């Protein structure tokens, strides 16, 4: 199957695109786009991959679902398009960034600037119906994104995986911690950020590890 995705990822994931589960998933997603309002817009579905080629990945942040409100989702976890108000989790990410590295909250919640430096912002589920959180779960996306995480963990070395919340931690539980840095914290949502996301200092720890392995740190 010819999937419109960045070339290096296409090569790495080629075996997934012909799997029966992926064919079923494509049919489901196409039907959903014709019958409902789906986020992100179709051309942004693989934005995480298009913005951060496989060979450029240094850091992986795992999210769950795309945002399901108008104009928010654009294919990168936790990120919103320019001009959109910051959702609560993103506000808390910027708060921790300020606490950790004294970086003031940016004017835009668009995290493409991170992606272009090698931060791979992957949601477990890449699409969602408008105003229906979780509506595209258990349709095949999770199988696909599990394969993506596995490829990164097995084929690359010295990556940093930021696993925020129980869902992301389960998804990354097979990652070899001798080969990569795995940092875990509660989810940045207002319901859990006070339980250890604030004060986790993941941004400075990430950069220290990258520098230790002779990689350029991220300008958060």
């Amino acid at each position: 199957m010819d999937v419109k995705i960045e070339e290096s990822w296409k090569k790495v994931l080629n075996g997934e695109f012909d799997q029966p589960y992926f064919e079923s998933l494509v049919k489901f997603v196409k039907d959903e786009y014709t019958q409902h309002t789906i986020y992100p817009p179709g051309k942004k579905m693989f934005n995480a991959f298009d913005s951060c080629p496989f060979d450029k990945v240094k850091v992986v942040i795992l999210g769950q679902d795309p945002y399901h409100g108008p104009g928010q989702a654009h294919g990168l976890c936790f990120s919103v398009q320019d001009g959109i108000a910051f959702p609560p989790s993103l506000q808390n990410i910027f708060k921790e960034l300020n606490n950790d590295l004294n970086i003031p909250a940016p004017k835009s919640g668009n995290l493409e600037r991170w992606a272009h430096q090698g931060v791979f912002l992957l949601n477990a589920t890449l699409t969602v119906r408008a105003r229906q959180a979780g509506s595209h779960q258990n349709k095949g996306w999770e199988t696909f994104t599990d394969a993506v995480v596995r490829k990164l963990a097995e084929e690359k070395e010295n990556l940093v995986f930021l696993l925020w919340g129980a869902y992301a931690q389960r998804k990354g539980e097979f990652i070899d911690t001798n080969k990569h840095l795995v940092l875990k914290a509660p989810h940045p949502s207002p319901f859990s950020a006070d339980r250890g996301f604030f004060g986790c200092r993941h941004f400075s720890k990430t950069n220290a590890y990258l520098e230790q392995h002779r990689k350029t740190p991220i300008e958060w």
Side-chain angles (χ1 to χ4, degrees):
M1 182 181 293
D2 185 31
V3 176
K4 287 178 181 163
I5 194 169
E6 191 276 332
E7 210 50 48
S8 65
W9 281 108
K10 185 179 256 193
K11 210 172 283 181
V12 168
L13 297 169
N14 208 25
E16 292 302 304
F17 300 140
D18 293 322
Q19 299 284 341
Y21 87 85
F22 196 83
E23 291 180 25
S24 303
L25 172 63
V26 167
K27 183 183 183 314
F28 166 76
V29 170
K30 279 183 176 170
D31 289 348
E32 286 284 290
Y33 272 99
T34 58
Q35 295 170 39
H36 304 278
T37 300
I38 304 299
Y39 299 127
K43 64 179 189 296
K44 292 287 186 183
M45 194 188 306
F46 292 115
N47 194 19
F49 301 83
D50 298 336
S51 303
C52 187
F54 182 79
D55 53 330
K56 305 285 189 204
V57 177
K58 296 191 283 192
V59 181
V60 181
I61 300 180
L62 294 181
Q64 192 164 355
D65 264 14
Y67 296 122
H68 52 85
Q72 294 178 306
H74 64 131
L76 306 177
C77 73
F78 295 109
S79 178
V80 290
Q81 300 190 70
D82 294 325
I84 299 292
F86 302 168
S89 291
L90 187 57
Q91 288 178 36
N92 287 338
I93 288 168
F94 289 150
K95 257 186 217 170
E96 175 57 22
L97 195 49
N98 181 247
N99 295 337
D100 186 7
L101 291 169
N102 206 28
I103 295 172
K107 290 187 168 59
S108 170
N110 187 331
L111 302 181
E112 280 181 357
R113 60 187 179 277
W114 292 4
H116 294 153
Q117 297 177 73
V119 182
F120 184 53
L121 296 155
L122 180 69
N123 274 317
T125 304
L126 299 191
T127 53
V128 69
R129 270 191 206 176
R131 306 204 180 281
Q132 292 185 45
S135 48
H136 284 188
Q137 289 177 6
N138 304 315
K139 303 294 183 186
W141 277 131
E142 295 91 340
T143 307
F144 174 68
T145 53
D146 280 350
V148 171
V149 176
R150 201 170 286 283
K151 288 283 185 188
L152 286 163
E154 289 175 357
E155 296 189 19
K156 293 180 75 75
E157 289 185 356
N158 305 134
L159 297 180
V160 183
F161 288 86
L162 303 183
L163 306 182
W164 297 336
Y167 184 91
Q169 287 161 26
R170 280 194 303 275
K171 197 168 182 70
E173 62 192 357
F174 62 83
I175 297 163
D176 183 351
T177 53
N178 294 313
K179 195 176 172 190
H180 305 287
L181 178 64
V182 177
L183 296 175
K184 298 177 183 178
H187 196 278
S189 137
F191 301 109
S192 53
D194 283 332
R195 290 190 231 129
F197 178 76
F198 291 137
C200 71
R201 302 185 68 84
H202 279 186
F203 303 102
S204 57
K205 287 174 182 175
T206 294
N207 279 352
Y209 181 84
L210 292 175
E211 288 180 316
Q212 188 188 331
H213 290 90
R214 297 182 183 167
K215 296 183 183 185
T216 310
I218 306 299
E219 288 185 26
W220 301 103

